Amino acid sequence: MTSTTTLEATGAPTDGTGASAQATPFLPPLRIGQHTVPSPVVLAPMAGVTNTAFRKLCREHGPGGLYVAEMVTSRAIVERNEQALRIVTFEDGESPRSAQVYGVDPATVGAAVEIIAGEGRADHVDLNFGCPVPKVTRKGGGAVLPWKRELFTRIVDAAVEAGARHDVPVTIKMRKGIDDEHLTYLEAGLIAEQAGVAAVALHARTAAEYYSGTADWSAIRQLKETVTSIPVLGNGDIWSAEDALEMVRQTGCDGVVVGRGCQGRPWLFADLMAAFNGSDERVTPGLGYVAETIYRHGELMAEFFQDEDKGTRDLRKHMAWYLKGYAVGGDARRALAMVSSLAELRTHLDALDHDQPYPGKDAEGQRGRQGSPKKPHVPDGWLSSRELSDEHRAKLLEAELSVSGG
């Protein structure tokens, strides 16, 4: 493996003078149980994206946030699946170590949190109730599960109790509900607060909206007005530091959760942390800086997979996100999307126009999954009652993916 290239976010180009006049922080540090997160910024877990390599890259740009690992299923943890256990294995420099668990059975979720907390694998566990993927929701899992209030309550209670035995706080991340006629987020927030969760995060869309349209930040404000004793975090349509500041102004939320907005832009965390510390300094990278970031990402991926070929192949999906808005021809884009070694990656990156300046808004905005609104996939009869039938209980056993996903 070639030598490591270290990128310092503070040395990146900025717009304006680059001055960083400090002001009173817009938000105080985020408290998650006994853990203090200096900057109220959270990296959302994203399957196939937020592995150790990407988390480390984001942390290098913004060292004060909370960086959550890819979602892992409770069943896979309990069965001690090798891949699942690797997902909840963290590097020494990660603190707090944050894992996200998905599950549909209270006993299994509780057992999974017991393993993670009891074996000292993580300092914080988040529960996923926000996945809108049809293969999960059609079996009653993810964003449609809180509709069954008793099941939701039992899952949260089991996780919180298991975490508390080892002083590991539990949080939840959820959506508004199934669709506009079946909203659950206010009730779920109150249930979670009463159960003793350390914070709640809301992706301000329903399962039916998937990732389409515009996030309803007014729902975050309503949740913040309803859940008053623990932090409420907002998620949805944060593409820039200015978006994050505006979300806080509109909703009063205690922190922000960033997902698709940081894909191909790990330096967004430097922007967010500067903004929440009253600075107008922003990272506005030219193509040369982007190229070096891509190469650093490739190095970290090769190290994570312990296989240069596998690491660089996995990096391919990030290329379009990194190059969004830059004048890079089709041949160069195709070549970068086919790399299988660090040497090959270096050659193609060196061929780019490193003097090309930051393209402004063209490099920002929508990226990653989007799609269009769709009728939510739920089990037959799921919406007819808030209680869980025996038939649906059996269906839920099929809802967990083998290891990760969503």
Side-chain angles (χ1 to χ4, degrees):
M1 187 180 301
T2 58
S3 60
T4 298
T5 302
T6 301
L7 295 173
E8 296 291 342
T10 54
T14 63
D15 56 10
T17 64
S20 57
Q22 295 297 310
T24 302
F26 193 79
L27 284 181
L30 179 63
R31 293 284 299 177
I32 303 293
Q34 75 274 28
H35 305 296
T36 299
V37 181
S39 186
V41 177
V42 180
L43 168 65
M46 292 178 281
V49 175
T50 59
N51 56 27
T52 299
F54 188 70
R55 296 197 308 274
K56 186 171 184 177
L57 186 63
C58 292
R59 193 183 297 274
E60 287 177 355
H61 285 85
L66 181 67
Y67 298 93
V68 188
E70 297 173 82
M71 184 188 83
V72 63
T73 68
S74 58
R75 181 186 300 175
I77 291 292
V78 171
E79 293 176 351
R80 306 197 73 85
N81 175 280
E82 183 178 350
Q83 183 182 349
L85 292 176
R86 189 177 184 206
I87 289 174
V88 293
T89 299
F90 298 83
E91 292 194 341
D92 291 341
E94 296 190 70
S95 179
R97 300 165 300 162
S98 184
Q100 189 186 65
V101 171
Y102 164 83
V104 297
D105 174 67
T108 308
V109 171
V113 175
E114 177 67 35
I115 290 170
I116 293 170
E119 296 179 3
R121 292 180 173 273
D123 306 305
H124 155 241
V125 174
D126 184 60
L127 299 181
N128 181 308
F129 295 106
C131 180
V133 175
K135 64 183 177 182
V136 170
T137 62
R138 70 165 52 99
K139 296 171 183 175
V144 308
L145 189 146
W147 180 251
K148 303 299 185 182
R149 60 167 73 88
E150 181 184 358
L151 176 63
F152 174 79
T153 301
R154 290 174 58 214
I155 290 173
V156 175
D157 282 343
V160 170
E161 289 171 9
R165 286 193 287 271
H166 305 282
D167 205 20
V168 170
V170 171
T171 61
I172 70 167
K173 186 171 184 285
M174 59 185 175
R175 285 190 172 228
K176 289 171 58 181
I178 298 173
D179 54 31
D180 288 339
E181 285 70 49
H182 302 88
L183 301 177
T184 54
Y185 69 104
L186 295 179
E187 180 185 55
L190 287 171
I191 291 171
E193 181 182 31
Q194 186 172 17
V197 303
V200 296
L202 177 66
H203 183 158
R205 287 181 170 90
T206 62
E209 291 173 292
Y210 210 65
Y211 295 93
S212 66
T214 303
D216 176 18
W217 289 358
S218 69
I220 300 170
R221 183 183 68 248
Q222 289 179 282
L223 183 63
K224 174 62 180 173
E225 292 169 351
T226 302
V227 175
T228 58
S229 68
I230 56 176
V232 171
L233 310 178
N235 176 224
D237 294 353
I238 295 178
W239 310 109
S240 67
E242 285 62 42
D243 291 334
L245 292 175
E246 186 59 28
M247 176 186 279
V248 174
R249 291 188 189 102
Q250 289 187 25
T251 70
C253 64
D254 302 289
V256 298
V257 181
V258 181
R260 293 172 298 150
C262 69
Q263 290 176 341
R265 298 176 64 227
W267 50 82
L268 178 58
F269 290 98
D271 287 356
L272 291 165
M273 292 176 190
F276 283 128
N277 280 282
S279 170
D280 61 1
E281 184 173 357
R282 301 291 183 266
V283 181
T284 55
L287 190 53
Y289 185 84
V290 173
E292 290 308 309
T293 305
I294 294 172
Y295 189 76
R296 172 64 173 152
H297 196 170
E299 289 183 315
L300 292 171
M301 292 284 261
E303 180 181 322
F304 170 67
F305 285 106
Q306 298 182 320
D307 183 321
E308 189 173 311
D309 177 75
K310 188 173 182 179
T312 50
R313 286 176 181 273
D314 200 73
L315 179 67
R316 294 173 179 178
K317 62 175 173 277
H318 296 263
M319 294 301 179
W321 301 330
Y322 274 117
L323 300 176
K324 178 179 170 64
Y326 293 89
V328 177
D331 288 345
R333 288 175 180 269
R334 282 188 290 272
L336 284 165
M338 294 296 290
V339 294
S340 56
S341 71
L342 288 174
E344 188 179 353
L345 177 64
R346 179 83 275 171
T347 297
H348 292 311
L349 290 174
D350 285 348
L352 299 178
D353 176 13
H354 286 209
D355 294 327
Q356 187 179 146
Y358 183 63
K361 291 295 183 181
D362 289 342
E364 301 172 7
Q366 288 276 3
R367 59 228 298 122
R369 294 179 291 186
Q370 190 170 355
S372 57
K374 60 194 74 178
K375 183 178 180 179
H377 294 74
V378 296
D380 291 341
W382 188 258
L383 300 179
S384 63
S385 170
R386 300 297 304 272
E387 306 308 316
L388 188 66
S389 68
D390 290 340
E391 179 184 356
H392 289 145
R393 196 181 308 277
K395 193 74 174 175
L396 279 167
L397 296 178
E398 305 172 15
E400 291 192 4
L401 307 178
S402 60
V403 175
S404 183

